[in-house]
DNA sequence: CGGTATTTTGAGTATCGTCAAGGCCAGTGG
DNA sequence: CCACTGGCCTTGACGATACTCAAAATACCG
């Protein structure tokens, strides 16, 4: 993949998706002010309510964005993958805590310096704006997934979002004759928080979908999507958009897998 | 209210919240390119999938942003109130249809001209960016409300969001000794779509909350919030933020209501 | 090999969706 | 002025689904 051929002078992954469009000079300025941070699973990157002093860009790993409810339960409002930007621009109300779901490496930009750079570099401001638009879309997609009343249907929607939106994040393990094999990057408990339910119901939903023939569970973290159409039907997605792309992806992978089967 | 004292030369409400911070000259340019549009209840402002050729700013009324699912059901992902901006900037994937929920007046800006102006006016770009941040927060607030499994709890969260976020939209009718009287601006059916349930369940939730003493139903569209703390507890909001502001509001209104009462 | 965390299964209860019917209100036409 | 009609809200009964609590099975790790 061409994204690996970055100059050694770039300590951070500033060529990643979110900053793909910014000018080389802006990218250089970003690289100059970047510090690398690492977090182990479960570590807290940013506390709820506290305003972070840096803007982050994920290099690898997964962060969960969550809110602690009054009764102590936690609800996950979104996952952040490699390339995603997080941290409040303009000290916006950062009402969510951010925790590492896996081993995570992030680029941290000092917020004040980032904002200063943004004012002088319209291309960066544009990139941030586009990133926001993208996040807004993802949030609304989530809302649609959550609008399903049956847990199994929400889970189906989760699978499709995972496969279609996060294809480039190492979650697609390949695809055999049975279908697309993907990796579930978070625990059942986190998945339950994400889908607004309990781990037991998540487990039942997994096995329900397996009994229906829509998926196959290889192990708790690896499953095969056997019938994308059926999953899309359940998820209520109008499908035309998401699924066609997935179909193409499967076809492409079948014709000539880059890694050789 | 002071917002009415706008120069007659401004055909549109460009002094509204979203554009509050832009420079007078930018505002003037906006006013120059604005066309007023009106929509009756149920009228479609923007079809799903079609890219609108204008950016809109709501002057009065309420729009609902919704998506039609594969099985024909419609789910509302958000409401737009006076001052909100809608329409895709940069032809982003506008995957939702926008319909008028009430009689609506909007300012329409030609999208090409708006984007051109945005490039030359950083203050406008900043305003758009802030508007996006705000929308993202609202979307995530919604996700938290929807994360409640009991419909009554979701409804409680809806009340709190309505009261705290949209105080300036004429939805707060006043407050008597019993509590805060608010107006529900949409039908039970729309509310059901918004909360991810059915009208019957919404109705039951209303009367459940009334039986519990948390609210009082004056008529289907007007209710009194009698116990904000209990509602916050149900909604699972950590409350400190939202509720304290509401409490102050109630206090202020009690000490010296502007309209005398 | 043993200990721990995660996942899965089971039984009972609460809640919601569905279908159907009744009540309330506004607008219409006699 | 009053009956009629249609839309919206409400109520009731029943089946489906998910939550709770509990325990067993599996995977993970040293």
């Amino acid at each position: 993949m061409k994204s690996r051929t970055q100059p050694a002078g770039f300590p951070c992954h500033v060529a990643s998706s979110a900053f793909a469009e910014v000018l080389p000079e802006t990218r250089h300025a970003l690289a100059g002010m970047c510090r690398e941070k690492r977090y182990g699973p479960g570590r807290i990157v940013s506390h709820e309510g506290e305003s972070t002093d840096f803007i982050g860009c994920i290099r690898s790993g997964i962060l969960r964005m969550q809110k602690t409810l009054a009764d102590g339960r936690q609800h996950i409002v979104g996952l952040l993958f490699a390339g995603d930007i997080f941290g409040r621009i303009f000290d916006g109300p950062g009402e969510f805590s951010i925790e590492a779901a896996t081993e995570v490496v992030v680029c941290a930009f000092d917020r004040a310096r980032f904002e200063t750079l943004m004012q002088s570099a319209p291309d960066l401001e544009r990139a941030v704006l586009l990133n926001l638009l993208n996040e807004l879309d993802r949030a609304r997609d989530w809302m649609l997934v959550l609008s399903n009343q049956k847990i199994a249907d929400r889970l189906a929607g989760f699978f499709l979002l995972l496969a279609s939106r996060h294809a480039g994040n190492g979650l697609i393990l390949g695809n055999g004759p049975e279908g697309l094999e993907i990796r579930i990057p978070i625990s059942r408990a986190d998945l339950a928080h994400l889908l607004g339910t309990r781990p037991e119901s998540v487990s039942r939903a997994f096995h329900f979908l397996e009994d229906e023939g829509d998926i196959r569970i290889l192990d708790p973290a690896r499953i095969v999507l056997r019938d994308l159409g059926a999953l899309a039907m359940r998820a209520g997605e109008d499908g035309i958009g998401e699924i066609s792309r997935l179909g193409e992806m499967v076809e492409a992978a079948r014709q000539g897998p880059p890694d050789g089967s």
Side-chain angles (χ1 to χ4, degrees), chain A residues 48 66-76 193 196-198:
Chain A
E48 204 169 320
Q66 57 194 14
K67 188 161 190 173
T68 305
L69 301 181
D71 54 14
R73 290 200 332 252
Q74 289 194 326
H75 193 252
I76 298 178
H193 286 148
T197 181
R198 304 281 145 204

Side-chain angles (χ1 to χ4, degrees), chain A residues 162-163 166-176 179-185 216 218-225 249 253 257-261:
Chain A
L162 208 60
H166 305 294
N169 287 308
L171 299 180
I172 298 197
L173 300 176
N175 87 85
L180 205 59
E181 179 181 341
I182 66 177
R183 189 168 59 87
I184 311 296
R216 165 181 267 272
L218 300 178
D219 66 62
R222 291 186 315 147
I223 65 167
V224 175
L225 307 184
M249 187 185 318
D259 54 332
S261 93

Side-chain angles (χ1 to χ4, degrees), chain A residues 6-195:
Chain A
Q6 50 182 296
F10 283 1
C12 279
H13 203 194
V14 289
S16 71
S17 57
F19 297 125
E21 297 296 328
V22 299
L23 300 173
E25 59 213 59
T26 305
R27 206 174 298 176
H28 219 89
L30 280 174
M33 73 169 71
C34 141
R35 289 171 296 141
E36 187 177 293
K37 293 196 175 200
R38 290 168 178 277
Y39 299 92
R43 285 283 305 282
I44 296 173
V45 177
S46 163
H47 256 109
E48 204 169 320
E50 289 179 12
S51 66
T52 45
D53 55 347
F54 65 89
I55 304 293
C57 172
I58 303 182
R59 195 169 169 183
S60 69
I62 297 175
L63 294 177
R64 47 175 193 246
M65 201 182 321
Q66 57 194 14
K67 188 161 190 173
T68 305
L69 301 181
D71 54 14
R73 290 200 332 252
Q74 289 194 326
H75 193 252
I76 298 178
V77 296
L79 297 176
L80 296 166
F81 293 84
D84 285 340
I85 301 175
F86 65 93
R88 305 311 278 170
I89 326 280
F90 305 127
D91 75 18
E95 299 177 1
F96 304 96
S97 83
I98 295 180
E99 289 187 22
T102 66
E103 189 75 29
V104 174
V105 183
V106 306
C107 305
F109 307 101
D110 179 80
R111 199 174 71 191
R113 291 175 66 189
F114 187 91
E115 291 184 4
T116 303
L117 177 62
M118 212 170 73
Q119 306 219 356
S120 62
D123 55 324
L124 179 58
E125 179 149 7
R126 173 67 42 91
V128 168
L129 203 148
L130 287 176
N131 182 65
L132 274 178
L133 280 170
N134 182 33
E135 268 205 78
L136 196 53
D137 269 345
R138 283 203 286 167
R140 295 210 168 110
D141 278 337
W142 256 122
M143 289 180 56
L144 282 179
V145 169
L146 291 179
S147 77
N148 282 305
Q149 31 262 37
K150 283 187 65 171
I151 305 292
D153 297 354
R154 285 186 235 177
L155 185 58
F158 171 77
F159 289 152
L160 294 177
L161 282 186
L162 208 60
S164 64
R165 294 259 184 191
H166 305 294
N169 287 308
L171 299 180
I172 298 197
L173 300 176
N175 87 85
E178 257 193 323
L180 205 59
E181 179 181 341
I182 66 177
R183 189 168 59 87
I184 311 296
I186 57 176
S187 69
R188 292 286 191 278
D190 278 353
L191 199 41
H193 286 148
L194 200 51
L195 297 178

